[in-house]
């Protein structure tokens, strides 16, 4: 990009018209700055004279965007900027301007996790397990801040001390509902980022969601569909990832559950690699050396033999406390105390219905 093109010039060009990426790139390449372009022969061919004469209005609108960037402690990252994610730069139609609140970590590997808004207990637990594993192994978790699998993935990453990106279908200042705003704040405060290609004041609509999905897939080395139905928007993300030659994984689910029809079909049609564990995914992506080093450093030492026995019996499938009492031959009062201690240590998790499972380690 020529040095004379400022952030304000780029915003003005984006306000002037929703150019195709290739047209936007060519204008910036062939003209010294916005004013040179607006006075050019090409500009007069593309726009009416009234629009060309309305430069002051466009300038004012761009100034508002710059003010909003400062107000929301955000920045504009153009495709010509060194901070722009390299993987995203390589897709067929990359967003030329990104509005970013938070920090981009271009030195880290990013993996997308997507799925249904109405997740089952199985989907929730699986998303938490995968996201926490990636977080502990220095992998950025990417998702779309929607209800269900997206939010579960974001929050599990934050809880595990990892980095997550929320790719928005709206502007940074028009996130809704309030719960999503709260989650967005947590993502930024934990060192992650909110990323949008939409100017401040832009609301989400039916067209912006698939556009958002191409960024989710494009910024990531791979996409995991955790749980989704046959008509889920997550399948759009998977399709985009595949079209950009990125790996797609799907977690198999209950064959009788509508919430797993989409993921099971991806696997059946050979459109996704079966994802049985986060370790399998890292092995497939060539990240196994990093993972093995982390696993070897996570040795759990037990001082209480009963706690160790309980932990070894538990897995990632919930077990009712009555069944656990039968398996351990411990009185319920003793078992409850041991389980409570394991919860305090972060080794065991309780879910509604007096069900217990091993926490992600």
């Amino acid at each position: 990009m020529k040095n004379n093109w400022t952030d304000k010039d780029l915003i003005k060009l984006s306000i002037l018209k929703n150019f195709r990426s290739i047209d936007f790139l060519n204008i910036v390449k062939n003209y010294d700055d916005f004013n040179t372009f607006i006075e050019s022969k090409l500009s007069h061919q593309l726009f009416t004279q009234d629009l060309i004469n309305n430069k002051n209005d466009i300038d004012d609108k761009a100034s508002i965007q710059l003010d909003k960037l400062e107000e929301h402690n955000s920045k504009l990252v153009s495709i010509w900027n060194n901070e722009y994610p390299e993987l995203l730069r390589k897709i067929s139609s990359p967003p030329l301007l990104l509005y970013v609140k938070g920090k981009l970590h271009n030195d880290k590997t990013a993996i997308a996790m997507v799925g249904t808004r109405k997740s089952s207990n199985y989907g929730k637990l699986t998303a938490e397990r995968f996201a926490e594993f990636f977080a502990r192994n220095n992998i950025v978790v990417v998702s779309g801040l929607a209800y269900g699998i997206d939010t579960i993935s974001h929050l599990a990453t934050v809880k595990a001390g990892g980095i997550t990106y929320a790719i928005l279908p709206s502007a940074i200042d028009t996130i809704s509902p309030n719960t999503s705003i709260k989650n967005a704040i947590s993502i930024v405060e934990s060192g992650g980022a909110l990323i949008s290609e939409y100017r401040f004041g832009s609301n989400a609509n039916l067209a912006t969601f698939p556009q958002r999905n191409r960024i989710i897939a494009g910024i990531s080395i791979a996409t995991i569909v955790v749980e989704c139905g046959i008509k889920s928007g997550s399948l759009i993300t998977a399709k985009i990832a595949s079209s950009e030659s990125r790996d797609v994984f799907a977690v198999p689910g209950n064959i009788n559950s509508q919430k797993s029809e989409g993921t099971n079909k991806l696997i059946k049609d050979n459109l996704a690699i079966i994802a049985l564990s986060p370790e399998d995914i890292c092995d497939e992506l060539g990240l196994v050396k990093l993972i093995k080093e982390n696993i070897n450093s996570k040795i759990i030492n037990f001082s209480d033999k009963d706690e160790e026995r309980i932990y070894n019996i538990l897995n990632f499938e919930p077990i009712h406390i009555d069944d656990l009492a039968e398996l351990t031959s411990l009185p319920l009062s003793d078992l409850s105390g041991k389980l409570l201690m394991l919860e305090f240590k972060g080794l065991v998790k309780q879910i509604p219905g007096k069900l217990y499972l091993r926490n992600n380690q």
Side-chain angles (χ1 to χ4, degrees):
M1 182 178 74
K2 296 181 179 180
N3 291 331
N4 291 339
W5 280 87
T6 64
D7 283 352
K8 188 173 184 179
D9 277 347
L10 294 173
I11 293 172
K12 285 196 286 187
L13 188 58
S14 72
I15 292 171
L16 193 61
K17 184 182 178 182
N18 186 21
F19 290 105
R20 294 182 308 160
S21 296
I22 187 65
D23 296 328
F24 198 116
L25 288 165
N26 284 335
I27 289 170
V28 174
K29 177 181 178 181
N30 292 313
Y31 295 91
D32 290 334
D33 54 30
F34 179 80
N35 286 333
T36 305
F37 165 68
I38 204 69
E39 299 295 343
S40 69
K41 183 178 179 180
L42 175 61
S43 173
H44 285 73
Q45 290 173 345
L46 291 173
F47 309 115
T48 65
Q49 192 61 44
D50 286 344
L51 184 57
I52 294 170
N53 291 338
N54 208 20
K55 289 187 294 183
N56 289 338
D57 181 54
I58 295 171
D59 189 87
D60 290 343
K61 289 179 179 178
S63 293
I64 291 172
Q65 292 297 314
L66 293 176
D67 290 342
K68 287 289 186 180
L69 282 167
E70 185 174 354
E71 177 187 337
H72 290 274
N73 194 25
S74 303
K75 58 189 171 183
L76 188 74
V77 179
S78 77
I79 198 169
W80 300 274
N81 192 305
N82 290 334
E83 283 190 76
Y84 192 93
E86 193 57 37
L87 278 177
L88 187 59
R89 197 193 303 271
K90 294 177 180 178
I91 68 173
S92 56
S93 181
L96 302 182
L97 305 179
L98 294 175
Y99 294 80
V100 179
K101 183 178 178 67
K103 184 178 179 182
L104 296 175
H105 299 261
N106 291 339
D107 59 330
K108 301 182 188 297
T109 298
I111 293 177
M113 291 180 57
V114 297
T116 179
R117 291 172 179 262
K118 298 180 180 179
S119 59
S120 67
N121 199 38
Y122 166 78
K124 178 180 184 294
L125 294 172
T126 301
E128 289 177 341
R129 177 186 170 198
F130 279 52
E132 290 172 14
F133 182 91
F134 295 142
R136 290 197 308 271
N137 287 286
N138 210 30
I139 295 169
V140 177
V141 173
V142 181
S143 202
L145 201 63
Y147 280 131
I149 297 299
D150 286 23
T151 294
I152 292 164
S153 301
H154 288 307
L155 296 185
T157 303
V158 169
K159 184 178 179 181
I163 302 298
T164 182
Y165 296 160
I167 315 299
L168 307 176
S170 70
I172 289 170
D173 64 336
T174 57
I175 296 172
S176 65
N178 288 336
T179 51
S180 293
I181 296 173
K182 180 181 177 181
N183 294 335
I185 292 170
S186 297
I187 288 169
V188 174
E189 289 180 343
S190 66
L194 310 178
I195 302 172
S196 173
E197 66 177 317
Y198 300 108
R199 293 188 296 275
F200 288 95
S202 303
N203 292 307
N205 58 57
L206 288 176
T208 62
F209 285 94
Q211 288 292 96
R212 181 272 310 269
N213 292 350
R214 89 186 193 289
I215 300 178
I216 292 176
I219 206 170
S220 308
I221 190 174
T223 293
I224 306 166
V225 186
V226 177
E227 182 181 50
C228 76
I230 206 70
K231 295 182 179 180
S232 172
S234 300
L235 299 180
I236 297 174
T237 310
K239 183 177 179 179
I240 293 170
S242 180
S243 71
E244 298 292 349
S245 300
R246 307 289 168 82
D247 286 319
V248 177
F249 296 86
V251 177
N254 187 331
I255 61 172
N256 298 312
S257 171
Q258 291 183 345
K259 294 177 181 179
S260 291
E261 284 182 350
T263 46
N264 289 343
K265 191 171 192 307
L266 284 172
I267 296 167
K268 175 179 176 291
D269 294 343
N270 292 318
L271 298 175
I273 304 165
I274 190 169
L276 300 178
S277 70
E279 294 90 341
D280 283 351
I281 291 170
C282 290
D283 189 11
E284 189 75 31
L285 295 174
L287 303 174
V288 69
K289 183 177 184 297
L290 168 68
I291 302 309
K292 283 180 177 178
E293 288 174 355
N294 268 278
I295 288 174
N296 290 337
S297 67
K298 296 284 182 182
I299 299 172
I300 303 170
N301 294 312
F302 290 93
S303 58
D304 185 297
K305 294 297 181 183
D306 285 335
E307 288 182 14
E308 182 176 10
R309 188 153 57 97
I310 294 167
Y311 180 79
N312 288 334
I313 289 172
L314 292 170
N315 53 39
F316 298 111
E317 187 69 27
I319 299 177
H320 194 273
I321 191 170
D322 290 343
D323 296 326
L324 197 54
E326 185 175 341
L327 289 169
T328 59
S329 299
L330 289 171
L332 271 176
S333 57
D334 291 349
L335 177 60
S336 296
K338 302 292 183 184
L339 286 168
L340 186 60
M341 288 304 299
L342 289 169
E343 283 189 77
F344 285 150
K345 294 175 183 178
L347 299 176
V348 166
K349 179 187 297 185
Q350 181 182 182
I351 59 176
K354 295 185 178 180
L355 296 169
Y356 291 84
L357 69 160
R358 185 182 294 190
N359 203 6
N360 302 333
Q361 292 292 331

